[in-house]
Amino acid sequence: MPKYMTKQRKLLIEYLSGHIDESISANRIAEDLATRISKSAVYRNLADLEAEGKLRRVADNNTREVVYQYVDEDKCRECLHLSCKKCGKTYHMSMTAADSLVENVSKSESFVVDKEKTVLYGICKECMEEE
């Protein structure tokens, strides 16, 4: 059940909505919002949003730090995500490619992929070009 929309929660959701293609640590969120939201309120609201299914929480393989991605936007719900291991940016996989991948896994492995919770890790085009 969603909680009451406090001023702090509203500011946090606005911030997260502006960063939907990023996986962001709680520390960075707290630092970016330090003048408007207390650190404890950031952590409390992140936990609530995760419990409500509005945030995806994963451990960053590079730092072992927990990062969050806001997934309450319509385009995130039925989408596979691609996450760059170098720069940390998260991308929406095209629906055509995602549907094809999910269908192939379903047929060949008799396994249903949960698109809402699946993240594929690799290196993005921009990072590959920098090498």
Side-chain angles (χ1 to χ4, degrees), residues 2 21 34 41 57 71 74 85 97 112 116 122 130:
D21 289 334
R57 177 182 168 206
V71 293
D74 288 337
K85 295 189 307 183
V112 177
E116 196 171 327
E130 290 176 2

Side-chain angles (χ1 to χ4, degrees), residues 82-114:
L82 306 172
S83 184
C84 181
K85 295 189 307 183
K86 282 194 170 187
C87 68
K89 188 165 182 181
T90 301
Y91 301 88
H92 292 102
M93 186 179 213
S94 78
M95 290 303 285
T96 304
D99 289 344
S100 177
L101 176 66
V102 168
E103 184 178 327
N104 286 333
V105 169
S106 178
K107 285 180 182 176
S108 67
E109 304 297 325
S110 298
F111 187 85
V112 177
V113 175
D114 180 352

Side-chain angles (χ1 to χ4, degrees), residues 6-105:
T6 63
K7 180 181 174 186
Q8 292 178 329
R9 182 179 172 95
K10 183 178 179 184
L11 286 168
L12 179 59
I13 290 172
E14 286 172 1
Y15 173 86
L16 293 168
S17 293
H19 295 83
I20 60 171
D21 289 334
E22 294 179 61
S23 296
I24 308 170
S25 72
N27 283 333
R28 179 173 156 214
I29 295 167
E31 288 172 10
D32 289 351
L33 297 174
T35 60
R36 300 181 289 169
I37 302 175
S38 71
K39 191 172 193 173
S40 62
V42 168
Y43 281 91
R44 185 173 52 256
N45 280 288
L46 288 174
D48 291 341
L49 290 169
E50 180 187 1
E52 294 167 21
K54 296 180 179 195
L55 282 182
R56 176 183 295 122
R57 177 182 168 206
V58 293
D60 183 336
N61 289 337
N62 297 329
T63 64
R64 293 188 168 187
E65 183 173 31
V66 172
V67 293
Y68 296 88
Q69 182 187 8
Y70 190 62
V71 293
D72 196 39
E73 301 288 325
D74 288 337
K75 67 181 180 178
C76 284
R77 292 195 184 275
E78 285 298 316
C79 184
L80 286 176
H81 291 86
L82 306 172
S83 184
C84 181
K85 295 189 307 183
K86 282 194 170 187
C87 68
K89 188 165 182 181
T90 301
Y91 301 88
H92 292 102
M93 186 179 213
S94 78
M95 290 303 285
T96 304
D99 289 344
S100 177
L101 176 66
V102 168
E103 184 178 327
N104 286 333
V105 169

Side-chain angles (χ1 to χ4, degrees), residues 114-125:
D114 180 352
K115 290 197 289 187
E116 196 171 327
K117 299 200 184 297
T118 301
V119 179
L120 302 174
Y121 293 92
I123 307 297
C124 71
K125 180 180 178 180

